[in-house]
Amino acid sequence: MAAINPVVDLAMDGDIAILSVNHPPVNALSQQVRAGLLDGIRRAIGDAAVRAIVLICDGKTFIAGADITEFGKPPVAPSLAEVEDALEGSPRPVIAAIHGTALGGGLEVALCCHYRVAVPSARCGLPEVNLGLLPGAGGTQRLPRIVGVEQALDMVTSGKHVDAKAAHAAGLIDELVAEGDLRGGAIGFARRVVAEGRPLRRVRDLDDKVAAARGKPEIFEAFRKANAKKFRGFLAPEYNIRTIEAAVDKPFDEGLAIERKLFIELMQGTQSAAQRYVFFAERQVWKIPDVPDDTPAIPIRKVGVIGAGTMGGGIAMNFANIGMPVTIVETKQDALDRGLGVVRKNYERSTKSGRLTMAGVEQRMQLLTGTLALEQLADCDLVIEAVFENMDIKREVFGKLDRIVKPGAILATNTSALDINQIATAVQRPDAVIGLHFFSPANVMRLVEVVRAQHTSKPVIATSMQLARKLGKIAALVGVCPGFVGNRILYARSQQASAMLMEGAMPWDIDQAIYDFGLPMGPFAMSDLAGLDIGWSAEKSKSSIREVLCEQNRRGQKTGAGFYDYDEQRNPRPSPVTEKIVKDFAARSGQPQRTISQQEILERCLYAQINEGAKILEEKIAIRPSDIDIVWINGYGWPVYRGGPMFYADTVGLHEVVARLEDYGPRLGKDFAISPLLRQMAADGKRFQDLK
Ligand code: 3H9
């Protein structure tokens, strides 16, 4: 074997050259890989003994794409296009041998080979859209020429991975080879290509499948329309569509030039910068400086959930989904039956969309055992309490658990705001206590705030993080404070939203500004969805707009009215009733009324959030700014193309954020204070991204 460079080798197997990449962790196309591939292919072509070339990778995967860490930096030769030209232009057949994932630039390289073989477990995809990009190395022009326009559109705009079997059926993979023998299978395939004198099949020369869509712009219009909601606010999906249109309408090289131009435009924009930042943030969030990866984890084989309400049921579903038995405890049989009934209904709904079979539903339901006896939790490795948000009740539950549950088990609370340190004083083993704050609906929402209390042990933290990952969640480790990270920042926004009602804005004005910014809904629509009567009781005073709405049985979507009026399909309409209530309150407050601009609404809401985020960092409640962004993207629908509130602050400029907050001054409320950290960073010209 001849080393071309530290990451690429060239070897011979008889008359077949084996060009292999060994660049962990994912064989990304760094400069060294590109240079090695270019050199290797030239050498192989230059060797008269070589009859065919197999391109293969070491480690767990084929090339998983361009090296994202190089993006945004000046390009270094050779370019990927040069490598691709060398592969595609080779006078000897080149065969890509795929295992793991062939993604982005990796699949684009494979598409420049004359043939592709893969093991059945391999997957292919062009996930650039998830980085706010489009495939910039010919993928948008070659993919539709192989799989057709419809599938290409779906793949480039969703970033979805296609498994090898489906890729084979679509023509993307020419042959599936035995799972454990990719190299042997690929060499065998190469020998057959040579023996049969098969042509050098260049994908760029294929036309049938794109010709089928030529002169039919309606295909693209229908696709845009069908996905308008999903693509709202994102630039990349539309740019991807345009490149596929170019593949259909233009000659290959012209299409390639369009792809290049649009790729550069996206690469230089803020959306892609945000999405690339989120890619790394999603991976960083698992890293906890004082809890190393080798921290011993507690084996979790059986879980207990206390409370069969919306939260408890949703939490239990997560565990049943991964095949783990769950014991659900309720205090009354009818509540238990109702809770398990809702779980079954949720599962059955998934059968309608084809995500689950009826057998799958039964399998999951069998893993769920309902009981009224807390004692049944004795042998659980993890118990999650999801009862009413009341400190006394929670402490009582924990006191009992302490006496019942076996030593070494994790005792978790799903509280969304209460002081977990105080809950932990109810037990003799505070090191076992942790917060696992799932978001509603818990079987759907990706975020879990893992809340570290004062005495939580490192194995308990490590186990909780690993478990969240197993459940398919994204977990952020946060500290104890009212509302933790997510709800504390939400509260900062709500305060501004409520204050603006007193100054002349209507709930729908505020919601519209937040929606247009890219969130799925504004604060008032969100309250209506959650229910306005959470924590409300009829005996309470009528001191807030929310309470008056509840008095009038306007308790949110579930009662057909809240801040908004709702029709049968739950479509919201501005409500004259709410308008009157707001105006009455505003008049009583004595505050002068004015028209509040969309800009002011946004700045006050969002900059107050950023300010709260800075305080959270100051108090070390979050490990890093990007963890806060992960919380807000995954728990509250902050648009990923704006990178989370802290990243967004960087794009605005911290100096500007502070200056605007100062301008608003007393309007922000008497308790509002600008975070000293934010102020200092603004003065120093720093960004949150600099706070690694
Ligand atoms: C592209 O190709 C553009 C072209 O069209 C045009 C070019 C001109 N680069 O996810 P993991 C790191 S755009 C650099 O935990 P897994 C990652 O940060 C690219 N680094 O592993 C992590 O580092 P650390 C299109 C990368 O097994 C480590 O590798 N391709 C890259 O769960 C392990 O990653 C994509 O978008 C990269 N491309 O999943 C694919 N990829 O250990 C992106 C990963 O320090 N990658 N790293 O935290 C993935 O989807 C997953 O990493 C993959 C493996 C499925 C491959």
Side-chain angles (χ1 to χ4, degrees):
M1 170 138 13
I4 301 285
N5 69 16
V7 294
V8 178
D9 285 321
L10 184 64
M12 291 300 289
D13 186 303
D15 52 6
I16 309 294
I18 315 290
L19 189 56
S20 59
V21 181
N22 184 3
H23 183 44
V26 297
N27 292 314
L29 290 158
S30 65
Q31 188 278 335
Q32 222 176 16
V33 172
R34 297 194 303 273
L37 283 176
L38 189 59
D39 196 4
I41 188 85
R42 283 181 179 155
R43 282 199 215 179
I45 293 168
D47 183 344
V50 169
R51 305 290 301 277
I53 301 157
V54 168
L55 170 62
I56 194 165
C57 293
D58 291 346
K60 63 177 185 174
T61 182
F62 190 73
I63 301 165
D67 185 342
I68 306 169
T69 59
E70 287 184 358
F71 290 175
K73 299 177 186 158
V76 192
S79 70
L80 188 50
E82 272 178 84
V83 178
E84 291 186 340
D85 288 347
L87 289 168
E88 197 169 50
S90 161
R92 255 51 72 56
V94 185
I95 293 101
I98 300 172
H99 75 298
T101 46
L103 299 178
L107 182 57
E108 292 176 293
V109 162
L111 282 167
C112 291
C113 298
H114 304 106
Y115 297 95
R116 285 153 294 282
V117 299
V119 289
S121 62
R123 284 175 296 138
C124 298
L126 292 175
E128 284 86 345
V129 70
N130 296 327
L131 300 169
L133 293 172
L134 52 85
T140 64
Q141 304 306 297
R142 290 190 180 87
L143 187 68
R145 284 177 160 81
I146 286 207
V147 303
V149 165
E150 239 169 83
Q151 188 168 351
L153 273 176
D154 183 43
M155 282 176 73
V156 297
T157 58
S158 70
K160 246 191 288 199
H161 300 179
V162 176
D163 67 44
K165 218 168 130 215
H168 183 235
L172 186 53
I173 300 296
D174 296 291
E175 191 166 285
L176 295 175
V177 301
E179 191 62 52
D181 188 25
L182 178 61
R183 189 185 154 106
I187 291 172
F189 181 85
R191 293 223 154 91
R192 260 181 289 134
V193 167
V194 173
E196 292 166 12
R198 286 202 218 171
L200 298 173
R201 192 166 178 261
R202 300 196 315 167
V203 177
R204 59 180 287 148
D205 298 333
L206 306 177
D207 191 54
D208 294 6
K209 291 197 172 164
V210 282
R214 205 160 285 145
K216 294 181 186 155
E218 62 275 12
I219 296 177
F220 296 96
E221 282 324 305
F223 187 78
R224 285 186 172 97
K225 222 166 138 193
N227 292 287
K229 200 165 158 209
K230 199 161 83 194
F231 297 160
R232 181 175 80 95
F234 287 93
L235 279 180
E238 171 56 26
Y239 277 46
N240 272 281
I241 296 172
R242 283 189 213 158
T243 57
I244 306 289
E245 276 180 315
V248 170
D249 296 335
K250 311 275 184 203
F252 184 84
D253 286 322
E254 268 182 54
L256 212 53
I258 292 172
E259 177 195 91
R260 188 84 216 134
K261 178 175 166 288
L262 294 180
F263 177 80
I264 291 170
E265 224 179 278
L266 286 177
M267 179 67 92
Q268 291 171 345
T270 318
Q271 288 206 353
S272 176
Q275 289 180 253
R276 276 153 27 214
Y277 160 87
V278 173
F279 176 87
F280 290 110
E282 280 182 347
R283 284 158 179 80
Q284 263 225 304
V285 74
W286 301 100
K287 296 174 187 158
I288 304 161
D290 70 331
V291 184
D293 285 348
D294 58 1
T295 305
I298 301 160
I300 305 290
R301 297 189 191 91
K302 190 176 170 200
V303 176
V305 173
I306 309 176
T310 314
M311 277 321 286
I315 292 170
M317 286 174 77
N318 285 300
F319 291 96
N321 287 343
I322 61 161
M324 208 177 278
V326 186
T327 303
I328 307 181
V329 186
E330 253 301 346
T331 48
K332 300 220 167 61
Q333 189 64 43
D334 60 338
L336 185 59
D337 293 343
R338 214 178 316 123
L340 287 171
V342 170
V343 168
R344 174 175 283 280
K345 233 188 243 152
N346 284 340
Y347 276 140
E348 285 176 356
R349 202 171 303 136
S350 301
T351 61
K352 294 201 182 97
S353 58
R355 267 176 296 150
L356 204 58
T357 59
M358 267 322 279
V361 174
E362 294 312 326
Q363 208 176 23
R364 284 165 175 74
M365 289 307 295
Q366 269 168 22
L367 288 166
L368 305 177
T369 309
T371 176
L372 301 182
L374 214 54
E375 290 70 24
Q376 297 286 319
L377 301 180
D379 63 343
C380 285
D381 304 297
L382 161 70
V383 177
I384 305 174
E385 161 280 309
V387 303
F388 196 64
E389 285 282 85
N390 174 298
M391 181 56 82
D392 293 341
I393 298 177
K394 299 222 185 227
R395 282 177 47 83
E396 192 189 321
V397 168
F398 270 77
K400 286 183 186 162
L401 286 178
D402 198 24
R403 290 187 289 278
I404 294 169
V405 184
K406 68 179 184 188
I410 299 178
L411 305 180
T413 170
N414 177 54
T415 182
S416 60
L418 296 179
D419 182 349
I420 300 178
N421 290 326
Q422 206 182 327
I423 296 176
T425 59
V427 301
Q428 304 290 321
R429 38 174 154 169
D431 55 322
V433 176
I434 196 162
L436 291 178
H437 178 209
F438 288 79
F439 284 64
S440 186
N443 52 314
V444 177
M445 295 291 288
R446 232 182 127 208
L447 180 69
V448 180
E449 278 181 326
V450 175
V451 192
R452 174 184 205 159
Q454 198 184 345
H455 298 293
T456 311
S457 76
K458 291 181 183 180
V460 167
I461 294 171
T463 308
S464 299
M465 297 297 285
Q466 285 170 22
L467 198 58
R469 203 198 271 270
K470 254 191 228 155
L471 296 178
K473 304 282 183 193
I474 189 153
L477 185 70
V478 303
V480 175
C481 68
F484 314 126
V485 167
N487 282 343
R488 177 167 162 182
I489 289 178
L490 181 71
Y491 183 65
R493 185 182 78 177
S494 305
Q495 277 186 313
Q496 292 308 315
S498 301
M500 284 186 275
L501 292 189
M502 294 300 102
E503 296 166 43
M506 282 295 138
W508 29 95
D509 301 330
I510 294 166
D511 282 353
Q512 190 66 50
I514 298 290
Y515 177 82
D516 290 345
F517 180 77
L519 281 108
M521 64 186 89
F524 299 102
M526 192 172 157
S527 298
D528 272 1
L529 180 65
L532 301 185
D533 54 354
I534 297 175
W536 171 83
S537 68
E539 298 78 44
K540 274 203 172 171
S541 70
K542 297 176 188 177
S543 61
S544 73
I545 293 172
R546 187 185 179 110
E547 282 166 349
V548 172
L549 288 167
C550 286
E551 289 285 329
Q552 300 190 5
N553 203 30
R554 302 180 63 93
R555 297 185 192 181
Q557 282 198 18
K558 62 185 172 188
T559 57
F563 283 103
Y564 293 83
D565 291 334
Y566 292 90
D567 66 16
E568 299 283 296
Q569 283 75 45
R570 295 200 170 191
N571 294 312
R573 265 190 328 269
S575 161
V577 179
T578 304
E579 184 165 348
K580 180 162 182 332
I581 296 172
V582 170
K583 282 190 170 152
D584 287 350
F585 263 90
R588 262 181 278 144
S589 78
Q591 291 201 51
Q593 300 292 292
R594 64 196 167 88
T595 305
I596 303 183
S597 69
Q598 294 270 302
Q599 185 190 348
E600 176 170 346
I601 292 172
L602 270 188
E603 287 177 349
R604 284 175 61 183
C605 285
L606 305 182
Y607 295 1
Q609 289 188 249
I610 292 163
N611 187 53
E612 202 62 38
K615 290 183 184 173
I616 282 169
L617 290 170
E618 251 161 39
E619 294 167 27
K620 304 209 181 312
I621 297 293
I623 296 172
R624 45 182 91 83
S626 61
D627 288 4
I628 298 178
D629 289 333
I630 289 295
V631 167
W632 259 74
I633 290 169
N634 294 285
Y636 301 83
W638 181 282
V640 62
Y641 57 80
R642 295 194 196 270
M646 310 317 277
F647 180 89
Y648 177 67
D650 285 347
T651 65
V652 173
L654 302 192
H655 190 267
E656 169 71 8
V657 172
V658 170
R660 300 300 297 143
L661 287 174
E662 275 173 344
D663 282 351
Y664 290 119
R667 272 188 210 161
L668 298 171
K670 62 177 175 24
D671 298 327
F672 189 92
I674 295 179
S675 140
L677 174 70
L678 178 59
R679 234 187 238 290
Q680 189 58 52
M681 289 181 70
D684 297 345
K686 288 217 170 107
R687 305 175 312 163
F688 283 118
Q689 284 158 83
D690 302 326
L691 282 183
K692 287 283 183 218

